Amino acid sequence: MQKVQFKQYNEGEVLLFPDRLDSTISENHLVRIINHTVNQLDLTFLISTYSGGGTPAYHPRMLLKILLYAYCLKLYTGRKIANALRSDITFMWLSGKQYPDFRTINNFRSGRLKDSI
């Protein structure tokens, strides 16, 4: 009888994700298409809605990317989008591992985007 062997498994491993999140995302993945498309947009109209001062805000380009990607995946609530930012590697990559909460996401779309898009 042969000895049973298993692949190494350690849920407490310090590095659970690859060094580069995009190494696991294919070149033709939807998240890359949205990223490329939003990077090409002129967002001066959106950036001009910010007054400055206070705590630094999340970049509107990043927030727009995560909203568009979430809508494509039929995620519409701010809480589900905020959860995806912490659990889905494509959302993590798209946001640059930044984690706006559901209030920030909802305020962005209902306040800044409402009259812009």
Side-chain angles (χ1 to χ4, degrees):
M1 185 168 189
Q2 294 184 359
K3 181 180 174 186
V4 177
Q5 294 185 358
F6 297 102
K7 294 182 179 185
Q8 185 177 355
Y9 169 70
N10 181 1
E11 71 278 357
E13 188 73 34
V14 176
L15 183 62
L16 293 175
F17 292 111
D19 291 337
R20 293 185 48 147
L21 294 177
D22 66 340
S23 65
T24 60
I25 301 170
S26 66
E27 290 298 320
N28 59 351
H29 195 283
L30 175 63
V31 75
R32 289 188 185 271
I33 295 168
I34 289 173
N35 182 60
H36 177 73
T37 303
V38 175
N39 281 343
Q40 303 302 314
L41 297 176
D42 177 16
L43 297 181
T44 53
F45 68 94
L46 187 55
I47 293 172
S48 67
T49 64
Y50 290 83
S51 59
T55 305
Y58 288 105
H59 201 288
R61 189 173 304 275
M62 182 269 291
L63 292 169
L64 182 59
K65 288 177 185 180
I66 62 172
L67 278 177
L68 291 175
Y69 184 57
Y71 291 169
C72 287
L73 299 180
K74 298 182 181 179
L75 290 176
Y76 301 111
T77 68
R79 290 181 191 268
K80 287 184 180 181
I81 296 169
N83 287 339
L85 286 166
R86 295 191 173 275
S87 62
D88 187 315
I89 197 165
T90 56
F91 276 94
M92 289 179 199
W93 175 75
L94 197 57
S95 70
K97 290 176 39 177
Q98 294 181 0
Y99 309 109
D101 65 5
F102 72 94
R103 287 180 196 89
T104 302
I105 294 166
N106 290 338
N107 290 339
F108 177 73
R109 76 171 144 199
S110 65
R112 306 242 183 241
L113 287 184
K114 186 176 182 181
D115 296 327
S116 301
I117 296 179

